[in-house]
Amino acid sequence: MIKVITYGTYDLLHYGHIKLLERAKALGDYLIVGVTADDFDKSRGKINVQQSLMQRIDAVRATGIADEIIIEEYEGQKIDDIQRFGIDIFTVGSDWRGKFDYLNEYCKVVYLDRTEGISSSEIRSERKKIKLGIVGEQFLAEKVAHECNYVNGIEVSGVYTTNTDIKIGKKFDTFDELLNCSDALYIISHPTLHFKQIKKAIDLKKHVLCEAPIALSLEESRKLHQLADEKGCILMDALKTAYSTAYSRMILLAKGGKIGKIISIDATATSLRDINLISKNNVSHTWNSICAWGPTSMLPIFQILGTDYCKKLIISKLLNDDFDIFTKVEFIYDDSVATLKVGKGVKSEGELLISGTKGYIYVPAPWWKTDYFEIRYENPNDNKRYFYQLDGEGIRYELVAFMDAIQSKHHPTYISRDVSNAICNVIEDFYARKDFFELK
Ligand code: C2G
């Protein structure tokens, strides 16, 4: 019996895939198909996969061509499989010609002609392209525009900004003009503008991805989410950390009891990028510390401990009424405590520490765009290290989630409304000097 093996993502199964499978089967008597796992695809840069692993396996199984289906999960697995299953022939489409010659050491390698004129990415891109307008002055806007190149189904309609140094395709003179040429907006304007801009966009049934905080009060945040529901729009917090694999796996492990009961969380995020503006007190267009870093630092606290803390204390060192150069917030819960420290005029170690009754999770700086974390125990031999590929600081995964939400009309679960509202509530109390102490 001649055993053949082939591998693939098989997303949105099409006739190119099926012809490949048919010809692979014809090479022998028994065909094993390895379908790639989500993490493995992400690690090799395939981030636009629309269907889940199970959906893709079911589609391959439904063809009735494969005699056996396995999951490809790690680099180098092909050699393991060829040896384990006693494979005679490895085959794959000719777009991979030369890439698997090394497998000749273990079995015969056959490249089958690829079927021209069809591919999963073309199918994804044929879906109505979303025209994304970009609003704001921060240079992150340029990164987001660049990251759109990695996401199927997006095209940047242009930018509305008052920052003449921002270079992103077509520049619109007014917010309204950009809005009229876009299906969705990415907003990174000053937080004081968010509520008005988001409301105007959603009133015109545009989807919005906005850098948190989406508003400067709990009431405004609630209003925006309610309006999005009424208009059938997607309104998403743009906190790229929430969409990175390492961060989301870390949260699952923490909540899954890996380090026992969580008693304390400490999140720190600082940057002196705007120190020149701060030193000249020229900060009216610059995000202050609590807005720039507060939402990101609140994310793990609220996602793990919840948002119903008993009390909080906001301690700030102010440059002026609206600008904190450093803020520490302490959240006290019934059975745990959390601290965040953020600063645009103070530098500290940007790490995340989650302390539990069995061990702790350590995420090194810059934890908010990490591809790596450790779980540490009393006995260092039990320590575990986790690494998950993170391309483009995680922005592209955020954009993929936004596109998926628009296409599926389902609000993504990465950042709950409750967390989104709670973030705005803390920001509101900062400005209202509620639960507040000012450092001299
Ligand atoms: N294919 C084809 N014709 C197409 C599209 C794809 O013959 N028009 C072939 C590919 O060459 C591959 C298989 O169908 O052999 C699955 O294609 P994909 O799902 O795109 O997966 P890919 O990442 O190309 O899989 O490690 C090997 C890779 O996993 C190969």
Side-chain angles (χ1 to χ4, degrees), residues 24-246:
K25 180 66 175 279
L27 292 175
D29 311 298
Y30 189 87
L31 173 65
I32 299 176
V33 179
V35 180
T36 46
D38 298 339
D39 282 352
F40 183 59
D41 268 330
K42 264 190 177 175
S43 70
R44 64 192 189 122
K46 289 188 90 166
I47 62 166
N48 287 287
V49 177
Q50 301 283 298
Q51 294 179 302
S52 69
L53 172 61
M54 289 324 294
Q55 286 173 314
R56 294 181 281 120
I57 287 175
D58 288 347
V60 170
R61 180 177 294 118
T63 65
I65 302 169
D67 296 293
E68 188 174 351
I69 295 175
I70 60 171
I71 297 170
E72 184 181 27
E73 298 183 277
Y74 58 90
E75 206 65 51
Q77 183 180 326
K78 292 181 176 74
I79 298 173
D80 279 351
D81 293 342
I82 288 166
Q83 292 172 321
R84 192 151 54 101
F85 293 109
I87 298 297
D88 303 294
I89 300 173
F90 164 87
T91 187
V92 74
S94 55
D95 45 318
W96 292 90
R97 191 176 300 283
K99 295 287 189 322
F100 296 107
D101 292 355
Y102 68 91
L103 293 175
N104 274 306
E105 188 182 334
Y106 307 96
C107 68
K108 187 178 175 197
V109 175
V110 174
Y111 296 102
L112 295 167
D113 288 346
R114 179 186 173 85
T115 303
E116 293 314 320
I118 185 143
S119 73
S120 308
S121 45
E122 280 161 23
I123 294 171
R124 286 191 285 263
S125 297
E126 272 155 23
R127 292 182 168 184
K128 182 182 176 303
K129 264 201 186 291
I130 300 290
K131 294 197 294 283
L132 183 71
I134 294 178
V135 183
E137 286 66 40
Q138 307 279 316
F139 281 106
L140 184 61
E142 288 185 339
K143 275 189 191 172
V144 169
H146 171 71
E147 289 298 298
C148 287
N149 297 317
Y150 296 93
V151 181
N152 292 157
I154 293 186
E155 67 183 30
V156 176
S157 54
V159 63
Y160 167 65
T161 181
T162 55
N163 181 342
T164 52
D165 296 333
I166 294 263
K167 304 275 180 275
I168 301 173
K170 180 174 171 43
K171 200 164 267 198
F172 287 82
D173 297 330
T174 67
F175 178 73
D176 289 356
E177 282 171 45
L178 174 73
L179 212 46
N180 294 332
C181 295
S182 307
D183 304 311
L185 290 188
Y186 167 74
I187 296 176
I188 186 169
S189 52
H190 193 276
T192 51
L193 302 174
H194 288 179
F195 177 77
K196 192 172 59 174
Q197 289 177 341
I198 296 172
K199 186 175 182 316
K200 190 169 229 182
I202 294 179
D203 278 338
L204 293 173
K205 296 201 168 206
K206 312 290 184 178
H207 307 288
V208 175
L209 175 64
C210 179
E211 286 295 338
I214 61 171
L216 298 183
S217 76
L218 173 59
E219 187 197 348
E220 284 184 343
S221 179
R222 282 183 174 145
K223 260 187 196 163
L224 290 175
H225 285 300
Q226 188 187 345
L227 185 62
D229 284 347
E230 286 163 9
K231 298 286 185 180
C233 291
I234 296 296
L235 168 56
M236 244 174 78
D237 284 73
L239 278 175
K240 61 180 182 294
T241 303
Y243 306 93
S244 98
T245 310

Side-chain angles (χ1 to χ4, degrees), residues 361-372:
I361 294 175
Y362 169 67
V363 190
W367 67 268
W368 53 87
K369 53 182 179 182
T370 189
D371 55 9
Y372 167 78

